[in-house]
Amino acid sequence: MPDSLSPPDIAARHAGIDGVELEDIGSNPAPRDTIQQIAERRLSRRAALMGLGAATLADQLVAAAQPALAQAAVPMTGGPSTLTFPELRLQLSQRDAVADGYEIQTVIRWGDPILADAPAFDPARVTAASQATQFGYNNDYLDFFPLPKGSTGSDHGLLAVNHEYTNPGLMFAGVGSGSAARLRVTAEQAAAERMAHGMSVVELRRVDGRWSYVPNSTLNRRITADTEMRVSGPAAGHDKMKTSADPTGRLVRGTINNCAGGNTPWGTVITCEENFNNYFGGTAATTGAQADSYRRYGIVAEAANPWGRFEPRFDLNREPNEPNRFGWIVEFDPYDPTSVPVKRTALGRFKHEGCTMAVNPDGRVVFYMGDDERFDYVYKFVTARPMDRNNPAANRDLLDEGTLFVGKFLDDGKLEWLPLVHGQGPLTAANGFASQADIAIETRRAADLLGATPMDRPEDVEANPVTGRVYVMLTNNGNRTAERLSAANPRPRNAHGHVLEIVPPGAGGRAVDHANANARWELFLLAGKPGQDAGARYHRATTDQGWLSCPDNCAFDSKGRIWISTDGAPSAAGIADGIWAADTSGPGRALTRLFYQAPTGGEVCGPTFTPDDTTLFLAIQHPGEDSGSTFETPSTRWPDFADGMPPRPSVIAIVKRGGGVVGT
């Protein structure tokens, strides 16, 4: 989620974890057509749709990729958007803000006690023991699981929450700010950081219109960087998965850098390991037997988060295989606090942003994924067999068998899903792939050989449950040059990102074939400020408040409207990160409207609705993560605004005053 390829000033903002880019790696060295040839081909099929001018070649690519305006019912009044909330004005301040008529409720904050033996939060006494029982740091992905299990209620449930990374300069006194703060962290503080990673599961209730969590609930759970996990799928037991602590290659301690995620139709959580590379270092990064693989995943000698000073397993010189045990999809049962999380290696190893599902008409389940790196790829996984709707237990290991695909976005608007299967094409022993396990461990290199399309930081990839269309959040790519443009990534120096739309066969009908190896693609919007940022494209009626920068995550309400959260807008555009909403069809298609903005330094993550659409949960990550901001003198003390209290990453609930559906 936070950019792992940031310039130094943004690297400081991300406190040395997600903001440190180790090397920009181009993935597909194959010769490419000229941008003029691409433009001519695309313009021969679609030209200047929706009345948008195209003065430059990049603009021509943008215009050619725009879909025709979908025909749908016009709103009874107002319009063209079906969203009726009063649009918020753009801001950048110490406090957050939401559209008039809505209320922000703080549900749970970093350090709040969730297990029975947890102490109350004390910012002066953050220890490994306390953090292991309290709500973790830097909440990201959110998912709401109704209680009781199997129900569809919206007032009582479990909230599954990722804790992606830590900001020691805002967690501890005396360590300063930026990436240098990590070098001042003590062994005890590093241990507390490890316990602040992972996930929390907390029971929530809404009583008299207000949300709160249930302390000491027997369903509450913490998963940390030390929680024991099982490895399954093709890479389980492979030699490159074995360490001195685990000679079997089938047991792993912990999960780290959990960014976004997803769920399954059988009621389990999927959490995604993203920028795992930043935790490993040592001279073996450049001199060891796996140096090429390390390089492809951005692992360097000087780790951005140098836990290896205190914990040998993060030192490549001592445990060269330990990084291979991270970068996976992890599945567990949120309803069972004793369930053992499982790393599902069949879904590939890369910097997983999210993993969201769609059920195919034949019962197979398709999972869409983005590899959050400049010039990396969009993937999907199709299970080998259909799910059993009547016996959830039969689906327990469904994710261990299936086919992983990577996307090739052709310039004529077609999408080919290329199978990453051992023995097919270049994926053979001659190229270093002796089995499917090798493809799972080195997924990026396998995708390179297949000629997948390098994208502008693919993050969240989600299917619209109403239309079946799939939306890809492409956050930005300031390193793309004019020589490396493609129709799906049409802007050089793409500082603001864009949203791409995948159209599987049957989209818009009742039988959407997500498992098909072919699809179409279109551009939904190109972010940035119209009239100022080259190539920015939205609906014509988008207001001065409606433009956005750096799309990151998304969610859909039950009407199929998209809610987009951003990460990086303060640096890229001088505005706070926030939530923008838009119709995905009809006269208001791509007419984005500003609904919420975060406090300074904060990123908006994990948008998720209750089943009845009356609550929108958001994770506000790293508030106060600004240049020079420290524990003692933070840029904001959100959400408590109490003397001596540092900013605290928190989950909020947004509800309509007086009740009702969010957005209308």
Side-chain angles (χ1 to χ4, degrees):
M1 195 168 283
D3 184 358
S4 66
L5 287 165
S6 306
D9 58 325
I10 302 180
R13 182 175 71 84
H14 286 296
I17 282 292
D18 300 288
V20 174
E21 175 44 28
L22 308 166
E23 186 169 359
D24 178 27
I25 302 165
S27 297
N28 182 5
R32 304 188 62 83
D33 291 338
T34 67
I35 192 63
Q36 182 68 50
Q37 291 170 320
I38 296 172
E40 288 174 353
R41 285 200 305 272
R42 289 294 277 142
L43 286 169
S44 70
R45 292 167 174 81
R46 299 177 182 179
L49 297 178
M50 299 179 71
L52 298 175
T56 68
L57 287 173
D59 285 339
Q60 290 175 340
L61 281 171
V62 169
Q66 294 290 341
L69 189 64
Q71 297 302 309
V74 177
M76 184 67 70
T77 60
S81 175
T82 65
L83 295 150
T84 60
F85 61 83
E87 194 168 12
L88 184 66
R89 292 187 61 83
L90 290 168
Q91 67 165 41
L92 181 60
S93 72
Q94 293 188 37
R95 296 184 179 272
D96 57 351
V98 71
D100 286 346
Y102 290 84
E103 175 187 358
I104 301 170
Q105 299 176 4
T106 301
V107 178
I108 191 167
R109 305 158 297 180
W110 163 51
D112 280 341
I114 63 173
L115 301 186
D117 56 346
F121 179 64
D122 180 353
R125 294 180 59 82
V126 176
T127 67
S130 64
Q131 276 288 248
T133 60
Q134 297 168 333
F135 191 68
Y137 203 79
N138 273 344
N139 34 223
D140 199 306
Y141 154 77
L142 304 175
D143 216 335
F144 183 81
F145 293 83
L147 286 170
K149 185 176 181 179
S151 68
T152 58
S154 295
D155 295 315
H156 185 205
L158 296 176
L159 193 70
V161 186
N162 278 359
H163 301 293
E164 186 179 7
Y165 69 103
T166 48
N167 296 90
L170 296 172
M171 291 178 70
F172 308 114
V175 301
S177 65
S179 57
R182 300 205 164 274
L183 300 177
R184 303 186 187 102
V185 167
T186 66
E188 292 75 15
Q189 290 169 334
E193 287 186 89
R194 292 197 297 275
M195 296 303 100
H197 278 63
M199 291 197 74
S200 294
V201 178
V202 291
E203 182 179 354
L204 303 185
R205 286 187 181 273
R206 176 163 51 181
V207 179
D208 296 330
R210 295 205 62 83
W211 284 98
S212 61
Y213 80 99
V214 181
N216 305 330
S217 168
T218 57
L219 293 173
N220 290 354
R221 182 179 188 180
R222 276 304 321 278
I223 293 172
T224 73
D226 278 359
T227 301
E228 187 171 279
M229 304 188 175
R230 182 168 64 87
V231 181
S232 72
H238 190 279
D239 284 347
K240 289 183 178 179
M241 298 290 284
K242 297 175 181 178
T243 65
S244 59
D246 171 32
T248 70
R250 295 178 182 274
L251 296 173
V252 177
R253 278 177 59 198
T255 183
I256 53 177
N257 214 261
N258 302 81
C259 196
N263 58 48
T264 67
W266 48 94
T268 56
V269 171
I270 290 178
T271 182
C272 299
E273 298 177 331
E274 194 191 35
N275 293 314
F276 65 92
N277 59 301
N278 289 322
Y279 298 78
F280 298 94
T283 57
T286 56
T287 62
Q290 299 184 63
D292 288 343
S293 177
Y294 294 153
R295 179 183 177 277
R296 186 62 184 88
Y297 284 98
I299 297 170
V300 296
E302 297 294 330
N305 189 353
W307 286 352
R309 293 184 298 156
F310 314 114
E311 183 77 6
R313 65 190 175 111
F314 294 102
D315 183 346
L316 298 176
N317 299 334
R318 299 184 184 186
E319 294 290 354
N321 285 342
E322 189 71 16
N324 300 332
R325 295 147 65 85
F326 295 89
W328 302 106
I329 294 298
V330 184
E331 182 186 15
F332 72 95
D333 183 354
Y335 293 100
D336 179 4
T338 67
S339 64
V340 176
V342 182
K343 298 201 175 190
R344 302 291 187 184
T345 65
L347 284 81
R349 175 173 168 263
F350 46 87
K351 294 185 180 181
H352 287 277
E353 168 72 19
C355 182
T356 63
M357 63 87 183
V359 180
N360 218 50
D362 61 6
R364 289 180 294 167
V365 187
V366 180
F367 292 85
Y368 289 99
M369 301 169 283
D371 184 355
D372 184 6
E373 192 92 81
R374 288 182 175 95
F375 301 112
D376 262 293
Y377 307 128
V378 176
Y379 296 85
K380 75 175 181 181
F381 177 82
V382 182
T383 60
R385 56 186 173 87
M387 61 176 285
D388 188 336
R389 297 180 183 274
N390 299 317
N391 183 14
N395 305 313
R396 183 180 63 180
D397 294 322
L398 199 62
L399 298 186
D400 286 342
E401 297 179 10
T403 303
L404 181 65
F405 297 85
V406 67
K408 185 171 185 177
F409 295 81
L410 304 180
D411 295 330
D412 62 1
K414 295 177 182 177
L415 167 59
E416 296 178 354
W417 289 107
L418 310 175
L420 290 151
V421 175
H422 179 252
Q424 294 187 15
L427 306 184
T428 63
N431 288 314
F433 299 105
S435 67
Q436 191 65 31
D438 292 312
I439 294 172
I441 294 169
E442 291 194 80
T443 306
R444 281 184 168 181
R445 188 167 71 87
D448 293 344
L449 289 175
L450 290 184
T453 302
M455 306 296 284
D456 287 350
R457 285 190 63 203
E459 298 216 44
D460 205 3
V461 186
E462 299 213 17
N464 186 325
V466 175
T467 67
R469 291 185 172 222
V470 180
Y471 292 78
V472 183
M473 304 297 110
L474 296 156
T475 298
N476 53 41
N477 187 353
N479 292 345
R480 189 175 289 278
T481 63
E483 293 73 28
R484 300 187 71 179
L485 296 183
S486 66
N489 302 274
R491 290 191 291 181
R493 297 174 299 281
N494 183 11
H496 302 285
H498 56 290
V499 177
L500 183 144
E501 199 173 37
I502 296 172
V503 188
R510 294 186 177 182
V512 184
D513 189 3
H514 289 280
N516 200 295
N518 295 284
R520 296 185 294 109
W521 67 266
E522 299 170 345
L523 293 177
F524 182 69
L525 64 81
L526 289 102
K529 187 173 184 178
Q532 179 172 320
D533 298 311
R537 291 291 188 274
Y538 305 83
H539 190 288
R540 282 182 177 275
T542 301
T543 71
D544 288 342
Q545 317 305 317
W547 61 273
L548 58 92
S549 178
C550 303
D552 188 343
N553 289 147
C554 69
F556 297 92
D557 59 27
S558 60
K559 296 182 179 180
R561 298 177 299 194
I562 192 169
W563 297 71
I564 300 170
S565 65
T566 66
D567 171 27
S571 299
I575 60 173
D577 282 318
I579 287 280
W580 282 257
D583 293 320
T584 56
S585 62
R589 173 183 164 87
L591 201 172
T592 48
R593 295 169 53 82
L594 176 58
F595 181 70
Y596 168 86
Q597 282 194 291
T600 182
E603 170 192 347
V604 182
C605 308
T608 191
F609 287 91
T610 51
D612 64 1
D613 287 349
T614 60
T615 301
L616 173 61
F617 291 109
L618 301 175
I620 309 307
Q621 191 184 81
H622 55 72
E625 192 182 78
D626 294 297
S627 179
S629 182
T630 65
F631 179 95
E632 295 85 357
T633 57
S635 58
T636 179
R637 294 189 183 276
W638 185 92
D640 299 321
F641 292 99
D643 290 342
M645 186 65 71
R648 301 170 72 181
S650 302
V651 174
I652 63 172
I654 297 179
V655 299
K656 198 170 187 178
R657 295 187 186 278
V661 172
V662 172
T664 57

PDB file of all heavy atoms in Angstrom, residues 352-377:
ATOM      1  N   HIS A 352       2.015  -8.901  -2.351  1.00  0.00           N
ATOM      2  CA  HIS A 352       0.565  -8.953  -2.433  1.00  0.00           C
ATOM      3  C   HIS A 352      -0.056  -7.727  -1.772  1.00  0.00           C
ATOM      4  O   HIS A 352       0.121  -7.504  -0.581  1.00  0.00           O
ATOM      5  CB  HIS A 352       0.032 -10.198  -1.721  1.00  0.00           C
ATOM      6  CG  HIS A 352       0.273 -11.481  -2.439  1.00  0.00           C
ATOM      7  ND1 HIS A 352      -0.551 -11.933  -3.442  1.00  0.00           N
ATOM      8  CD2 HIS A 352       1.241 -12.424  -2.300  1.00  0.00           C
ATOM      9  CE1 HIS A 352      -0.112 -13.104  -3.886  1.00  0.00           C
ATOM     10  NE2 HIS A 352       0.977 -13.420  -3.204  1.00  0.00           N
ATOM     11  N   GLU A 353      -0.801  -6.959  -2.544  1.00  0.00           N
ATOM     12  CA  GLU A 353      -1.599  -5.873  -1.961  1.00  0.00           C
ATOM     13  C   GLU A 353      -2.899  -6.432  -1.393  1.00  0.00           C
ATOM     14  O   GLU A 353      -3.204  -6.253  -0.227  1.00  0.00           O
ATOM     15  CB  GLU A 353      -1.909  -4.822  -3.028  1.00  0.00           C
ATOM     16  CG  GLU A 353      -2.962  -3.805  -2.619  1.00  0.00           C
ATOM     17  CD  GLU A 353      -2.498  -2.803  -1.587  1.00  0.00           C
ATOM     18  OE1 GLU A 353      -1.280  -2.640  -1.436  1.00  0.00           O
ATOM     19  OE2 GLU A 353      -3.352  -2.173  -0.934  1.00  0.00           O
ATOM     20  N   GLY A 354      -3.688  -7.069  -2.230  1.00  0.00           N
ATOM     21  CA  GLY A 354      -4.960  -7.633  -1.809  1.00  0.00           C
ATOM     22  C   GLY A 354      -5.222  -8.940  -2.519  1.00  0.00           C
ATOM     23  O   GLY A 354      -4.450  -9.381  -3.392  1.00  0.00           O
ATOM     24  N   CYS A 355      -6.331  -9.569  -2.155  1.00  0.00           N
ATOM     25  CA  CYS A 355      -6.720 -10.843  -2.785  1.00  0.00           C
ATOM     26  C   CYS A 355      -8.222 -10.972  -2.600  1.00  0.00           C
ATOM     27  O   CYS A 355      -8.692 -11.343  -1.527  1.00  0.00           O
ATOM     28  CB  CYS A 355      -5.971 -11.998  -2.132  1.00  0.00           C
ATOM     29  SG  CYS A 355      -6.327 -13.619  -2.857  1.00  0.00           S
ATOM     30  N   THR A 356      -8.977 -10.630  -3.639  1.00  0.00           N
ATOM     31  CA  THR A 356     -10.431 -10.599  -3.528  1.00  0.00           C
ATOM     32  C   THR A 356     -11.049 -11.586  -4.505  1.00  0.00           C
ATOM     33  O   THR A 356     -10.484 -11.875  -5.558  1.00  0.00           O
ATOM     34  CB  THR A 356     -10.967  -9.184  -3.800  1.00  0.00           C
ATOM     35  OG1 THR A 356     -10.665  -8.810  -5.149  1.00  0.00           O
ATOM     36  CG2 THR A 356     -10.341  -8.178  -2.848  1.00  0.00           C
ATOM     37  N   MET A 357     -12.223 -12.071  -4.161  1.00  0.00           N
ATOM     38  CA  MET A 357     -12.759 -13.214  -4.891  1.00  0.00           C
ATOM     39  C   MET A 357     -14.047 -12.909  -5.647  1.00  0.00           C
ATOM     40  O   MET A 357     -14.760 -11.950  -5.363  1.00  0.00           O
ATOM     41  CB  MET A 357     -12.985 -14.374  -3.923  1.00  0.00           C
ATOM     42  CG  MET A 357     -13.999 -14.121  -2.835  1.00  0.00           C
ATOM     43  SD  MET A 357     -15.703 -14.512  -3.335  1.00  0.00           S
ATOM     44  CE  MET A 357     -16.599 -14.012  -1.865  1.00  0.00           C
ATOM     45  N   ALA A 358     -14.298 -13.781  -6.622  1.00  0.00           N
ATOM     46  CA  ALA A 358     -15.568 -13.819  -7.341  1.00  0.00           C
ATOM     47  C   ALA A 358     -15.875 -15.288  -7.611  1.00  0.00           C
ATOM     48  O   ALA A 358     -14.975 -16.061  -7.954  1.00  0.00           O
ATOM     49  CB  ALA A 358     -15.483 -13.041  -8.654  1.00  0.00           C
ATOM     50  N   VAL A 359     -17.124 -15.671  -7.432  1.00  0.00           N
ATOM     51  CA  VAL A 359     -17.515 -17.064  -7.661  1.00  0.00           C
ATOM     52  C   VAL A 359     -17.964 -17.211  -9.109  1.00  0.00           C
ATOM     53  O   VAL A 359     -18.846 -16.485  -9.585  1.00  0.00           O
ATOM     54  CB  VAL A 359     -18.639 -17.491  -6.703  1.00  0.00           C
ATOM     55  CG1 VAL A 359     -19.036 -18.942  -6.967  1.00  0.00           C
ATOM     56  CG2 VAL A 359     -18.188 -17.321  -5.250  1.00  0.00           C
ATOM     57  N   ASN A 360     -17.356 -18.140  -9.814  1.00  0.00           N
ATOM     58  CA  ASN A 360     -17.684 -18.385 -11.212  1.00  0.00           C
ATOM     59  C   ASN A 360     -19.004 -19.159 -11.315  1.00  0.00           C
ATOM     60  O   ASN A 360     -19.404 -19.861 -10.377  1.00  0.00           O
ATOM     61  CB  ASN A 360     -16.556 -19.179 -11.871  1.00  0.00           C
ATOM     62  CG  ASN A 360     -16.289 -18.745 -13.285  1.00  0.00           C
ATOM     63  OD1 ASN A 360     -16.134 -17.554 -13.548  1.00  0.00           O
ATOM     64  ND2 ASN A 360     -16.223 -19.687 -14.210  1.00  0.00           N
ATOM     65  N   PRO A 361     -19.703 -19.079 -12.447  1.00  0.00           N
ATOM     66  CA  PRO A 361     -20.959 -19.821 -12.600  1.00  0.00           C
ATOM     67  C   PRO A 361     -20.812 -21.324 -12.376  1.00  0.00           C
ATOM     68  O   PRO A 361     -21.768 -21.975 -11.939  1.00  0.00           O
ATOM     69  CB  PRO A 361     -21.380 -19.510 -14.036  1.00  0.00           C
ATOM     70  CG  PRO A 361     -20.781 -18.175 -14.323  1.00  0.00           C
ATOM     71  CD  PRO A 361     -19.465 -18.177 -13.599  1.00  0.00           C
ATOM     72  N   ASP A 362     -19.625 -21.883 -12.653  1.00  0.00           N
ATOM     73  CA  ASP A 362     -19.431 -23.319 -12.468  1.00  0.00           C
ATOM     74  C   ASP A 362     -19.022 -23.678 -11.043  1.00  0.00           C
ATOM     75  O   ASP A 362     -18.734 -24.846 -10.752  1.00  0.00           O
ATOM     76  CB  ASP A 362     -18.407 -23.864 -13.465  1.00  0.00           C
ATOM     77  CG  ASP A 362     -17.025 -23.241 -13.311  1.00  0.00           C
ATOM     78  OD1 ASP A 362     -16.811 -22.462 -12.355  1.00  0.00           O
ATOM     79  OD2 ASP A 362     -16.146 -23.528 -14.152  1.00  0.00           O
ATOM     80  N   GLY A 363     -18.987 -22.684 -10.145  1.00  0.00           N
ATOM     81  CA  GLY A 363     -18.669 -22.944  -8.755  1.00  0.00           C
ATOM     82  C   GLY A 363     -17.209 -22.796  -8.395  1.00  0.00           C
ATOM     83  O   GLY A 363     -16.869 -22.778  -7.200  1.00  0.00           O
ATOM     84  N   ARG A 364     -16.325 -22.707  -9.393  1.00  0.00           N
ATOM     85  CA  ARG A 364     -14.932 -22.431  -9.070  1.00  0.00           C
ATOM     86  C   ARG A 364     -14.823 -20.998  -8.541  1.00  0.00           C
ATOM     87  O   ARG A 364     -15.636 -20.129  -8.871  1.00  0.00           O
ATOM     88  CB  ARG A 364     -14.043 -22.607 -10.300  1.00  0.00           C
ATOM     89  CG  ARG A 364     -13.854 -24.049 -10.731  1.00  0.00           C
ATOM     90  CD  ARG A 364     -12.952 -24.141 -11.954  1.00  0.00           C
ATOM     91  NE  ARG A 364     -13.567 -23.528 -13.126  1.00  0.00           N
ATOM     92  CZ  ARG A 364     -12.916 -23.244 -14.258  1.00  0.00           C
ATOM     93  NH1 ARG A 364     -11.616 -23.512 -14.352  1.00  0.00           N
ATOM     94  NH2 ARG A 364     -13.549 -22.694 -15.274  1.00  0.00           N
ATOM     95  N   VAL A 365     -13.810 -20.760  -7.723  1.00  0.00           N
ATOM     96  CA  VAL A 365     -13.630 -19.446  -7.124  1.00  0.00           C
ATOM     97  C   VAL A 365     -12.389 -18.805  -7.722  1.00  0.00           C
ATOM     98  O   VAL A 365     -11.331 -19.441  -7.843  1.00  0.00           O
ATOM     99  CB  VAL A 365     -13.519 -19.532  -5.595  1.00  0.00           C
ATOM    100  CG1 VAL A 365     -13.515 -18.139  -4.983  1.00  0.00           C
ATOM    101  CG2 VAL A 365     -14.675 -20.348  -5.021  1.00  0.00           C
ATOM    102  N   VAL A 366     -12.526 -17.540  -8.116  1.00  0.00           N
ATOM    103  CA  VAL A 366     -11.449 -16.793  -8.764  1.00  0.00           C
ATOM    104  C   VAL A 366     -10.998 -15.687  -7.821  1.00  0.00           C
ATOM    105  O   VAL A 366     -11.826 -14.946  -7.284  1.00  0.00           O
ATOM    106  CB  VAL A 366     -11.917 -16.210 -10.108  1.00  0.00           C
ATOM    107  CG1 VAL A 366     -10.797 -15.425 -10.774  1.00  0.00           C
ATOM    108  CG2 VAL A 366     -12.426 -17.330 -11.020  1.00  0.00           C
ATOM    109  N   PHE A 367      -9.680 -15.572  -7.627  1.00  0.00           N
ATOM    110  CA  PHE A 367      -9.114 -14.556  -6.746  1.00  0.00           C
ATOM    111  C   PHE A 367      -8.243 -13.617  -7.572  1.00  0.00           C
ATOM    112  O   PHE A 367      -7.344 -14.065  -8.292  1.00  0.00           O
ATOM    113  CB  PHE A 367      -8.290 -15.205  -5.633  1.00  0.00           C
ATOM    114  CG  PHE A 367      -9.127 -15.987  -4.656  1.00  0.00           C
ATOM    115  CD1 PHE A 367      -9.470 -17.311  -4.921  1.00  0.00           C
ATOM    116  CD2 PHE A 367      -9.592 -15.400  -3.494  1.00  0.00           C
ATOM    117  CE1 PHE A 367     -10.248 -18.032  -4.030  1.00  0.00           C
ATOM    118  CE2 PHE A 367     -10.371 -16.115  -2.600  1.00  0.00           C
ATOM    119  CZ  PHE A 367     -10.707 -17.428  -2.865  1.00  0.00           C
ATOM    120  N   TYR A 368      -8.520 -12.312  -7.459  1.00  0.00           N
ATOM    121  CA  TYR A 368      -7.759 -11.289  -8.176  1.00  0.00           C
ATOM    122  C   TYR A 368      -6.731 -10.665  -7.244  1.00  0.00           C
ATOM    123  O   TYR A 368      -7.031 -10.385  -6.069  1.00  0.00           O
ATOM    124  CB  TYR A 368      -8.693 -10.211  -8.717  1.00  0.00           C
ATOM    125  CG  TYR A 368      -9.567 -10.666  -9.864  1.00  0.00           C
ATOM    126  CD1 TYR A 368     -10.885 -11.047  -9.646  1.00  0.00           C
ATOM    127  CD2 TYR A 368      -9.068 -10.707 -11.160  1.00  0.00           C
ATOM    128  CE1 TYR A 368     -11.698 -11.455 -10.707  1.00  0.00           C
ATOM    129  CE2 TYR A 368      -9.873 -11.113 -12.226  1.00  0.00           C
ATOM    130  CZ  TYR A 368     -11.182 -11.481 -11.992  1.00  0.00           C
ATOM    131  OH  TYR A 368     -11.977 -11.888 -13.034  1.00  0.00           O
ATOM    132  N   MET A 369      -5.522 -10.406  -7.775  1.00  0.00           N
ATOM    133  CA  MET A 369      -4.426  -9.908  -6.957  1.00  0.00           C
ATOM    134  C   MET A 369      -3.572  -8.909  -7.725  1.00  0.00           C
ATOM    135  O   MET A 369      -3.408  -9.024  -8.941  1.00  0.00           O
ATOM    136  CB  MET A 369      -3.534 -11.073  -6.510  1.00  0.00           C
ATOM    137  CG  MET A 369      -4.245 -12.141  -5.700  1.00  0.00           C
ATOM    138  SD  MET A 369      -3.244 -13.637  -5.451  1.00  0.00           S
ATOM    139  CE  MET A 369      -3.398 -14.420  -7.065  1.00  0.00           C
ATOM    140  N   GLY A 370      -3.007  -7.934  -7.003  1.00  0.00           N
ATOM    141  CA  GLY A 370      -2.060  -6.988  -7.571  1.00  0.00           C
ATOM    142  C   GLY A 370      -0.729  -7.089  -6.856  1.00  0.00           C
ATOM    143  O   GLY A 370      -0.677  -7.290  -5.636  1.00  0.00           O
ATOM    144  N   ASP A 371       0.363  -6.944  -7.614  1.00  0.00           N
ATOM    145  CA  ASP A 371       1.720  -6.922  -7.058  1.00  0.00           C
ATOM    146  C   ASP A 371       2.146  -5.461  -6.980  1.00  0.00           C
ATOM    147  O   ASP A 371       2.468  -4.832  -7.988  1.00  0.00           O
ATOM    148  CB  ASP A 371       2.654  -7.725  -7.968  1.00  0.00           C
ATOM    149  CG  ASP A 371       4.070  -7.829  -7.420  1.00  0.00           C
ATOM    150  OD1 ASP A 371       4.369  -7.206  -6.383  1.00  0.00           O
ATOM    151  OD2 ASP A 371       4.887  -8.544  -8.036  1.00  0.00           O
ATOM    152  N   ASP A 372       2.143  -4.913  -5.762  1.00  0.00           N
ATOM    153  CA  ASP A 372       2.318  -3.470  -5.572  1.00  0.00           C
ATOM    154  C   ASP A 372       3.780  -3.051  -5.744  1.00  0.00           C
ATOM    155  O   ASP A 372       4.525  -2.881  -4.792  1.00  0.00           O
ATOM    156  CB  ASP A 372       1.808  -3.064  -4.187  1.00  0.00           C
ATOM    157  CG  ASP A 372       1.882  -1.556  -3.978  1.00  0.00           C
ATOM    158  OD1 ASP A 372       2.221  -0.837  -4.935  1.00  0.00           O
ATOM    159  OD2 ASP A 372       1.607  -1.098  -2.862  1.00  0.00           O
ATOM    160  N   GLU A 373       4.149  -2.869  -6.992  1.00  0.00           N
ATOM    161  CA  GLU A 373       5.481  -2.400  -7.362  1.00  0.00           C
ATOM    162  C   GLU A 373       5.365  -1.736  -8.715  1.00  0.00           C
ATOM    163  O   GLU A 373       4.564  -2.157  -9.564  1.00  0.00           O
ATOM    164  CB  GLU A 373       6.445  -3.585  -7.459  1.00  0.00           C
ATOM    165  CG  GLU A 373       7.904  -3.194  -7.561  1.00  0.00           C
ATOM    166  CD  GLU A 373       8.571  -3.128  -6.212  1.00  0.00           C
ATOM    167  OE1 GLU A 373       8.967  -4.169  -5.690  1.00  0.00           O
ATOM    168  OE2 GLU A 373       8.693  -2.001  -5.673  1.00  0.00           O
ATOM    169  N   ARG A 374       6.142  -0.699  -8.928  1.00  0.00           N
ATOM    170  CA  ARG A 374       6.186  -0.120 -10.266  1.00  0.00           C
ATOM    171  C   ARG A 374       6.659  -1.177 -11.261  1.00  0.00           C
ATOM    172  O   ARG A 374       7.637  -1.890 -11.020  1.00  0.00           O
ATOM    173  CB  ARG A 374       7.138   1.073 -10.297  1.00  0.00           C
ATOM    174  CG  ARG A 374       6.611   2.311  -9.584  1.00  0.00           C
ATOM    175  CD  ARG A 374       7.618   3.442  -9.722  1.00  0.00           C
ATOM    176  NE  ARG A 374       7.127   4.681  -9.159  1.00  0.00           N
ATOM    177  CZ  ARG A 374       7.376   5.100  -7.928  1.00  0.00           C
ATOM    178  NH1 ARG A 374       8.109   4.351  -7.128  1.00  0.00           N
ATOM    179  NH2 ARG A 374       6.902   6.248  -7.501  1.00  0.00           N
ATOM    180  N   PHE A 375       5.955  -1.255 -12.396  1.00  0.00           N
ATOM    181  CA  PHE A 375       6.284  -2.178 -13.486  1.00  0.00           C
ATOM    182  C   PHE A 375       6.083  -3.651 -13.113  1.00  0.00           C
ATOM    183  O   PHE A 375       6.694  -4.525 -13.723  1.00  0.00           O
ATOM    184  CB  PHE A 375       7.717  -1.954 -14.003  1.00  0.00           C
ATOM    185  CG  PHE A 375       7.962  -0.568 -14.523  1.00  0.00           C
ATOM    186  CD1 PHE A 375       8.816   0.294 -13.850  1.00  0.00           C
ATOM    187  CD2 PHE A 375       7.334  -0.111 -15.669  1.00  0.00           C
ATOM    188  CE1 PHE A 375       9.048   1.579 -14.313  1.00  0.00           C
ATOM    189  CE2 PHE A 375       7.557   1.172 -16.147  1.00  0.00           C
ATOM    190  CZ  PHE A 375       8.412   2.022 -15.465  1.00  0.00           C
ATOM    191  N   ASP A 376       5.206  -3.909 -12.135  1.00  0.00           N
ATOM    192  CA  ASP A 376       4.855  -5.299 -11.878  1.00  0.00           C
ATOM    193  C   ASP A 376       3.412  -5.571 -12.289  1.00  0.00           C
ATOM    194  O   ASP A 376       2.792  -4.761 -12.975  1.00  0.00           O
ATOM    195  CB  ASP A 376       5.182  -5.714 -10.446  1.00  0.00           C
ATOM    196  CG  ASP A 376       6.530  -6.442 -10.398  1.00  0.00           C
ATOM    197  OD1 ASP A 376       6.598  -7.556 -10.955  1.00  0.00           O
ATOM    198  OD2 ASP A 376       7.505  -5.893  -9.847  1.00  0.00           O
ATOM    199  N   TYR A 377       2.830  -6.688 -11.864  1.00  0.00           N
ATOM    200  CA  TYR A 377       1.768  -7.310 -12.620  1.00  0.00           C
ATOM    201  C   TYR A 377       0.452  -7.480 -11.863  1.00  0.00           C
ATOM    202  O   TYR A 377       0.380  -7.370 -10.643  1.00  0.00           O
ATOM    203  CB  TYR A 377       2.241  -8.687 -13.097  1.00  0.00           C
ATOM    204  CG  TYR A 377       3.559  -8.665 -13.830  1.00  0.00           C
ATOM    205  CD1 TYR A 377       4.600  -9.511 -13.456  1.00  0.00           C
ATOM    206  CD2 TYR A 377       3.772  -7.796 -14.891  1.00  0.00           C
ATOM    207  CE1 TYR A 377       5.815  -9.504 -14.133  1.00  0.00           C
ATOM    208  CE2 TYR A 377       4.980  -7.779 -15.575  1.00  0.00           C
ATOM    209  CZ  TYR A 377       6.010  -8.635 -15.189  1.00  0.00           C
ATOM    210  OH  TYR A 377       7.194  -8.613 -15.864  1.00  0.00           O
TER     211      TYR A 377
END
